[in-house]
Amino acid sequence: GHLYVWAAATGTAAARPAWSPTFTGSLVTSGSTSAGANQILLTATTLTGTILHGQTFTIAGTLYTCSGDATAVANVLTVPTTPPVPAIIGTGTSVTTWDQQAPDGRAVVATPEGYAMVLGAQGIARRAMWADRRSISQWGPLTINEAGSYDLPTTGRLLAGRRTRNQTLLWTDVDVWAASWVGLPAVYRFDQVGDRCGPISPNSMCTLGTEAIWMGANAFYAYDGYTRELHCEVADFVFNNINRKQQAKCWAMPIPQYGESWFFYPSALSNEVDSYVVFNAWENHWTIGTLARTAGFPNGSMQYPLMASAAGLMYEHEFGNLRTGEATAFVESGPIELGVGDQIMSITQILTDEKTLGDISLGLYYSMDPALPYSAVGTNPQLNELLKSIALFTRTPTNVRLTARQVRLRFTEARPTAWRVGDVRLGVVAGGRR
């Protein structure tokens, strides 16, 4: 729950931000404090700044916790404390140690305007608290800074935040809020922009420009000025295939150069992340697959997107086409049908993209009833000649004879090269309704 800051220097460990109060001379008690008192006055030659609720300090061997924010006035800090003072503290007793300055919380986000914002701050699940602009030490609100906090009027618990181009989006487990910069005195305005659309986990959202996309408990959502549920053709497959006991491990990352949002999740039979679903916002389609990746970061500072495997290996993605040790690559269509599936179709011809000839093979799977499993073309002896003629797409067009209600196409790599699947057309004759 602590905030740490890395100085971007190799070999330098991340550290908690420095204490906010600044002073010259020793920090000591101002006047004597009676036994049983629940506040302590501190002073120094010069003293400015704030001690936050929850910060700790030690006097005469006793550890005290600040039970409310305390701001210096005329070189004196009046600090409400717990526990009560056990014995008289004499004037000028030194403060020997103190806790680092920054609120504890559940998550942190850097806003587009340059504020560090802690979510679930100070043990309050719906509190967003931010430091002064471009500061990680000035968290107490003063007349001379822009630090502040806000408690969202929600029943949810803050889980995560992401910056977009113009706003900072905050997710609770039940809704989503937009923090918009308005300047002093409020600094930020908070608006609820979605309800009953909480994320499935604290890391299941990503942003692309001004748009955010996230994985909910049973649906996918997007925000680009208003929140909407995304139509997803593979939603049933994905959400019926998640290990719900491990759903907190779901995570997401964008691939901006392709307009894609990747969502990783543990499948129903796995305790670790092993599957993914991808939404391409540019082409408005979904892709599913299996891949064991537990964390990642899009390109930007790096040349290629990086992802980590469960084995602790780092991979450059979207680079090269060698797949040593990996399964043969393939892409498969969803079910193809006429109308709403109320007609039988007869496929008579396949026309392929000429650039795929020899690089990929085609498998056809067909069914007369969506409730029954698909049959592969090669399982029917009468269709073996069909398989031979289109096995490597060595010619186009290819004449075929196949009758079904639904058909799926699977394109499988035949040569390890930078192959592609272009436009594929089926010559179809509509049959009767059954």
Side-chain angles (χ1 to χ4, degrees):
H2 300 319
L3 177 68
Y4 287 86
V5 178
W6 183 55
T10 303
T12 301
R16 298 182 67 187
W19 221 33
S20 175
T22 58
F23 51 90
T24 57
S26 298
L27 186 62
V28 298
T29 57
S30 174
S32 295
T33 304
S34 303
N38 57 11
Q39 69 178 28
I40 300 174
L41 276 60
L42 304 178
T43 189
T45 304
T46 62
L47 175 60
T48 60
T50 301
I51 297 179
L52 295 181
H53 174 257
Q55 302 301 307
T56 61
F57 56 95
T58 301
I59 300 176
T62 299
L63 180 68
Y64 296 97
T65 299
C66 183
S67 58
D69 295 352
T71 300
V73 177
N75 295 338
V76 175
L77 274 166
T78 302
V79 187
T81 60
T82 57
V85 176
I88 294 175
I89 301 176
T91 301
T93 303
S94 296
V95 177
T96 53
T97 61
W98 51 78
D99 190 15
Q100 298 301 302
Q101 178 79 355
D104 286 349
R106 186 183 182 104
V108 63
V109 59
T111 72
E113 300 79 28
Y115 298 85
M117 183 178 290
V118 170
L119 309 179
Q122 299 179 315
I124 300 175
R126 55 194 181 90
R127 175 168 293 175
M129 188 171 190
W130 58 94
D132 192 16
R133 190 196 293 249
R134 309 198 186 284
S135 170
I136 43 83
S137 60
Q138 297 291 331
W139 292 85
L142 303 172
T143 57
I144 59 173
N145 69 23
E146 298 180 35
S149 65
Y150 184 78
D151 292 351
L152 299 178
T154 176
T155 58
R157 300 169 300 147
L158 279 164
L159 297 180
R162 296 289 187 274
R163 59 186 290 171
T164 66
R165 191 169 298 158
N166 303 315
Q167 293 177 310
T168 302
L169 296 180
L170 309 178
W171 283 267
T172 78
D173 48 10
V174 298
D175 51 16
V176 61
W177 295 73
S180 304
W181 188 81
V182 295
L184 290 172
V187 184
Y188 277 100
R189 186 186 76 240
F190 294 84
D191 300 297
Q192 186 185 46
V193 295
D195 192 16
R196 290 177 291 182
C197 57
I200 195 171
S201 74
N203 290 308
S204 61
M205 64 288 295
C206 58
T207 57
L208 287 167
T210 58
E211 186 173 37
I213 300 173
W214 66 97
M215 185 182 199
N218 293 291
F220 291 92
Y221 300 92
Y223 171 81
D224 57 0
Y226 70 97
T227 298
R228 67 189 188 280
E229 182 178 334
L230 288 176
H231 175 67
C232 178
E233 295 89 348
V234 295
D236 286 348
F237 173 84
V238 172
F239 291 106
N240 289 330
N241 188 40
I242 291 179
N243 183 343
R244 294 291 177 171
K245 294 182 179 179
Q246 302 292 337
Q247 68 182 34
K249 296 177 180 177
C250 296
W251 68 280
M253 69 172 284
I255 305 291
Q257 64 266 42
Y258 299 120
E260 293 176 345
S261 299
W262 286 62
F263 301 91
F264 291 85
Y265 62 93
S267 64
L269 299 179
S270 175
N271 286 326
E272 302 299 336
V273 172
D274 63 348
S275 302
Y276 69 86
V277 55
V278 180
F279 177 62
N280 187 307
W282 294 351
E283 300 176 2
N284 194 34
H285 67 72
W286 296 83
T287 306
I288 56 175
T290 58
L291 187 65
R293 296 291 186 267
T294 57
F297 194 80
N299 67 325
S301 57
M302 305 295 181
Q303 185 175 2
Y304 300 103
L306 297 179
M307 293 190 202
S309 73
L313 300 176
M314 292 294 294
Y315 288 89
E316 287 183 329
H317 282 251
E318 311 300 334
F319 169 71
N321 51 48
L322 295 179
R323 290 165 289 279
T324 303
E326 299 288 340
T328 301
F330 70 90
V331 292
E332 184 174 315
S333 75
I336 301 169
E337 59 189 15
L338 290 182
V340 292
D342 58 342
Q343 285 187 298
I344 301 297
M345 59 181 172
S346 296
I347 302 177
T348 60
Q349 196 173 64
I350 300 176
L351 290 85
T352 67
D353 178 358
E354 73 282 357
K355 289 190 177 182
T356 64
L357 297 181
D359 291 341
I360 59 175
S361 63
L362 172 65
L364 281 83
Y365 299 84
Y366 62 96
S367 175
M368 293 298 293
D369 187 337
L372 298 177
Y374 281 76
S375 300
V377 165
T379 61
N380 186 334
Q382 297 178 351
L383 297 175
N384 282 339
E385 291 302 315
L386 168 64
L387 267 184
K388 292 178 183 178
S389 65
I390 62 175
L392 293 177
F393 277 150
T394 53
R395 60 187 179 88
T396 186
T398 299
N399 295 321
V400 299
R401 183 179 296 174
L402 177 65
T403 300
R405 187 183 299 276
Q406 289 184 336
V407 172
R408 296 202 323 261
L409 307 180
R410 175 182 289 197
F411 304 92
T412 303
E413 177 181 271
R415 297 190 305 184
T417 184
W419 54 271
R420 67 174 228 177
V421 176
D423 292 331
V424 178
R425 298 174 176 84
L426 302 180
V428 176
V429 176
R433 290 181 171 84
R434 297 187 183 178

